[in-house]
Amino acid sequence: MTVQTICISPQIRMRREFFGGLLYDRRNGNIIEIDNEAFFLLCHLGSDCVNQNALVSFLSDNDLINASPDKIREVIDQLLQLDIIQSCGHEQTTHEFTFILYPEVQNHYGLSAPETVHWAITYDCDQGCPDCYASRFIQKSPALNTKESLMLIDKLADWGVFQLAIGGGEPFLRDDLPDLVHHAASRGLDVHLTTGLTKLHDDLLKQLSPSVKVLSLGIRSDHLRSEMGCAGLREWRMSVQNAGMLASANLILSRSVLTELPEIIDRLVETGFIRIVLLRYKPPANIDRWKQERPKGEELKSLHAILARIVDKYPFLHLRVDCALSFVQRHLSPELASRLGLKGCVAAHRILAVAPDGSVYPCSQLVHERCYGGNLLESDPKELWDGSKTLQRYRTYQIRKSFKQSACGICLKKASCGGCRVFADDGLGGDPGCPQPVFPPIRQLGKNGRRVDLQHYMKENYSIPVRSYMQRYGVGQSTAVKELNRSPDVVSMSGKRARRLDDEFLSAHVRNIVDIQDTIGYTSGGVPFMSYEEIEQGQEDWDYPLWLQNDAVFSSASENDKE
């Protein structure tokens, strides 16, 4: 039966974009991209009930949408199925349609504003979690006071941000937390809050409840290793739900967690959690801890199969992975990945991180002076978003040389994954921690693909004849010689054979270590902060990200000084 009167669901927020617009569904957090015609249709529909046939006639008779009446009805039916449009019943209503002009939106690469802002309202914390990545951040300015924080919230709301994810540090250490979340909610932002505290007063939870949509707890695996710990988590979850909020568990996939992930999920489900977010293990400040707890490639390679078994066992479980784990969904077809909205790394594109002092960074993992994008309290958000060269660099990371010449750059799944920037040696390029990139057939590799493949080949083989290069990649002799001569993995060409040079002081391996030492730096006496042996040992597997090593070294040095 044809629906006669329709309106936009009151839980839908719209935002104009150069390709059409975004629809944010406050009921489930889903964000849908729509084209210009669909956005224009919804603009004319509005939140009042209107006669569907009258709307279709108005749009088609005035040539306001480049589509036939049947096509317009088809779009309306699709929006009804998604519950973006709702039926108001079948009674006839009169409605005076007016012409609505498209809001002006600059046609540039990316969105007009982030969908979600991650705001660390403080870096203070008394929990001492060993794998906390925030401990590597150096906060040079004090956190915003209450008045300044409220001003920042107003800027985000006026800008068109949909969601505000508040964390830290420990956000509950701020006495004004209820005031901040109430103001954010009153300005139309959906607030998500993350804590590490397993004991929260019921009165405080009730204060937060009207304004906080989801309260997430960072799970420590030791919480789940005793009956008392599980009982505490069960009590926390019940208190949050009784206060009227959704309770969620954030679980960092360190090596010790990953090795017993099915059992840990069992315990979380037994305590009543049905919303679980899995987070990839990010570099903590302590390099020794990183070496101990960073999962190996083979362990990450099996993650997809483990998650599939968990989903089969608990079909009611709302299980999500963060964007740094996008590779677990590499089996999906490009069409399905696009339909599901999988976009991999969305730093400075769909998300933005804000530090306690209002400083802006591409994401919450890229809080570093080289990633600084400005300060929201001191700048107009739109001008900062569009004008910051740092944010633009991360927004367009896939066209950068260090990405294109990496395994991520030639992976067939880069559109829906692309890896995580924090793991790249330069903080911008490919992700060396992906356990299994999906490469094209070897003879379909382009120049960058051949370069990446040759890098792996030369690690296992001392040399490669030009003819073998031609046969391996299906290229002519002149191309083979040219690419071998220019390859950083080939140190010498002898006749028609490319090889690594034997002299250890001139080898690429040694020069790479010297480059790392130069990047990390030296003491005033000229002694490198990391010795040749330390760097070489770290390179036996996958290194602690090079761009973070300098900070980590200084952090370790200051800790040693205290001792």
Side-chain angles (χ1 to χ4, degrees):
M1 181 181 295
T2 302
V3 176
Q4 295 298 312
T5 53
I6 55 177
C7 67
I8 298 178
S9 166
Q11 295 298 319
I12 296 295
R13 286 185 58 192
M14 297 171 53
R15 194 175 82 196
R16 181 78 171 99
E17 298 294 345
F18 71 90
F19 53 80
L22 293 179
L23 303 180
Y24 173 64
D25 193 335
R26 303 188 67 174
R27 294 164 294 192
N28 51 33
N30 290 340
I31 296 176
I32 301 173
E33 296 180 2
I34 58 175
D35 59 19
N36 282 308
E37 282 74 21
F39 188 86
F40 200 36
L41 184 155
L42 291 174
C43 283
H44 281 85
L45 175 56
S47 57
D48 295 331
C49 287
V50 302
N51 184 282
Q52 174 179 319
N53 293 330
L55 174 63
V56 172
S57 297
F58 173 75
L59 294 174
S60 59
D61 292 347
N62 293 282
D63 294 324
L64 296 175
I65 291 181
N66 186 23
S68 66
D70 288 342
K71 181 63 177 177
I72 296 174
R73 291 190 181 91
E74 182 181 328
V75 172
I76 290 174
D77 287 341
Q78 292 174 347
L79 295 173
L80 281 164
Q81 291 173 13
L82 293 170
D83 205 20
I84 292 167
I85 291 177
Q86 296 178 344
S87 168
C88 303
H90 300 283
E91 70 279 3
Q92 295 293 322
T93 61
T94 58
H95 185 86
E96 199 67 35
F97 292 104
T98 57
F99 290 93
I100 299 176
L101 297 177
Y102 281 93
E104 289 294 328
V105 172
Q106 182 182 357
N107 191 351
H108 60 87
Y109 180 88
L111 302 178
S112 62
E115 297 168 356
T116 302
V117 167
H118 296 261
W119 182 22
I121 59 175
T122 179
Y123 282 146
D124 293 338
C125 186
D126 54 7
Q127 297 299 295
C129 300
D131 297 313
C132 177
Y133 61 81
S135 60
R136 60 176 152 86
F137 302 157
I138 301 174
Q139 183 64 17
K140 298 179 180 179
S141 303
L144 303 177
N145 59 34
T146 303
K147 181 179 178 181
E148 293 168 331
S149 298
L150 296 176
M151 290 171 58
L152 187 142
I153 290 170
D154 284 335
K155 285 195 170 190
L156 297 178
D158 293 340
W159 192 14
V161 173
F162 295 135
Q163 302 180 91
L164 180 61
I166 295 178
E170 178 47 62
F172 279 87
L173 292 180
R174 284 195 57 156
D175 295 333
D176 60 355
L177 179 61
D179 296 327
L180 301 184
V181 299
H182 292 334
H183 187 64
S186 71
R187 291 302 318 274
L189 293 164
D190 275 359
V191 180
H192 300 252
L193 188 60
T194 299
T195 181
L197 299 179
T198 55
K199 293 188 180 297
L200 297 171
H201 293 296
D202 288 342
D203 290 344
L204 179 56
L205 291 175
K206 289 178 181 177
Q207 285 185 57
L208 298 173
S209 176
S211 305
V212 176
K213 194 176 188 69
V214 180
L215 181 57
S216 300
L217 175 65
I219 300 294
R220 291 177 55 162
S221 57
D222 55 335
H223 292 158
L224 296 163
R225 290 196 170 95
S226 69
E227 223 15 81
M228 184 177 297
C230 289
L233 292 179
R234 187 179 295 107
E235 183 179 345
W236 184 93
R237 190 265 310 164
M238 291 178 63
S239 296
V240 171
Q241 290 185 185
N242 290 339
M245 293 176 283
L246 296 174
S248 181
N250 289 349
L251 184 63
I252 297 176
L253 298 185
S254 62
R255 177 182 293 171
S256 57
V257 168
L258 194 55
T259 54
E260 53 176 333
L261 182 58
E263 294 78 15
I264 289 176
I265 297 296
D266 287 342
R267 294 180 207 129
L268 284 173
V269 173
E270 288 169 6
T271 61
F273 282 97
I274 60 171
R275 298 173 62 92
I276 302 174
V277 180
L278 303 180
L279 307 172
R280 187 171 169 188
Y281 188 66
K282 313 299 195 309
N286 188 309
I287 294 181
D288 291 335
R289 178 71 179 181
W290 166 255
K291 292 178 179 179
Q292 173 187 334
E293 286 293 342
R294 176 184 58 78
K296 301 291 186 180
E298 287 300 316
E299 295 164 336
L300 289 173
K301 193 183 295 185
S302 63
L303 181 57
H304 171 262
I306 294 172
L307 296 182
R309 290 194 294 269
I310 290 172
V311 170
D312 285 343
K313 185 176 182 179
Y314 301 114
F316 57 84
L317 194 61
H318 297 275
L319 191 66
R320 292 177 49 219
V321 297
D322 72 351
C323 57
L325 287 170
S326 293
F327 57 77
V328 302
Q329 299 168 107
R330 62 185 178 275
H331 64 288
L332 299 178
S333 67
E335 295 76 20
L336 180 55
S338 175
R339 194 157 65 246
L340 293 174
L342 302 180
K343 300 183 183 297
C345 176
V346 290
H349 181 42
R350 293 176 182 269
I351 62 171
L352 190 68
V354 179
D357 66 344
S359 296
V360 165
Y361 300 92
C363 89
S364 55
Q365 289 297 321
L366 300 170
V367 178
H368 191 278
E369 58 184 10
R370 64 181 289 172
C371 305
Y372 174 75
N375 189 290
L376 267 182
L377 210 61
E378 301 169 359
S379 309
D380 174 75
K382 182 167 178 53
E383 291 180 2
L384 184 152
W385 180 252
D386 291 338
S388 168
K389 292 183 178 179
T390 299
L391 299 184
Q392 290 175 6
R393 187 163 62 247
Y394 277 92
R395 200 171 295 147
T396 57
Y397 73 91
Q398 290 206 6
I399 68 172
R400 305 292 164 176
K401 183 177 180 180
S402 61
F403 180 85
K404 291 169 69 175
Q405 295 183 351
S406 70
C408 284
I410 61 174
C411 178
L412 295 176
K413 302 298 181 179
K414 63 183 177 182
S416 57
C417 179
C420 177
R421 309 284 67 77
V422 72
F423 299 106
D425 269 345
D426 63 351
L428 192 66
D431 180 349
C434 177
Q436 197 172 34
V438 183
F439 293 152
I442 197 164
R443 286 200 163 207
Q444 293 180 20
L445 294 171
K447 182 171 66 174
N448 287 328
R450 293 192 290 271
R451 175 175 174 160
V452 172
D453 182 75
L454 181 65
Q455 181 181 21
H456 292 283
Y457 180 92
M458 295 297 277
K459 286 180 180 178
E460 301 175 1
N461 301 274
Y462 180 76
S463 64
I464 180 170
V466 171
R467 183 170 295 279
S468 295
Y469 190 94
M470 294 166 58
Q471 293 172 346
R472 182 177 180 83
Y473 300 116
V475 298
Q477 183 175 7
S478 61
T479 298
V481 172
K482 183 190 299 183
E483 292 182 357
L484 285 168
N485 273 321
R486 294 180 177 178
S487 171
D489 302 293
V490 173
V491 183
S492 74
M493 285 284 290
S494 175
K496 292 187 177 181
R497 179 179 293 272
R499 67 181 70 221
R500 303 194 310 262
L501 205 59
D502 244 350
D503 185 354
E504 81 170 306
F505 292 104
L506 295 177
S507 71
H509 173 69
V510 174
R511 284 185 298 159
N512 185 43
I513 291 179
V514 173
D515 287 343
I516 292 175
Q517 286 180 328
D518 289 342
T519 301
I520 295 174
Y522 300 82
T523 67
S524 57
V527 178
F529 283 116
M530 292 188 73
S531 68
Y532 181 99
E533 290 75 17
E534 288 173 325
I535 296 175
E536 187 173 45
Q537 182 181 4
Q539 287 192 316
E540 290 177 358
D541 197 351
W542 162 37
D543 260 339
Y544 189 89
L546 179 59
W547 71 283
L548 293 174
Q549 285 188 20
N550 199 26
D551 289 343
V553 169
F554 282 121
S555 175
S556 300
S558 61
E559 290 174 6
N560 293 334
D561 290 342
K562 291 178 183 178
E563 293 175 0

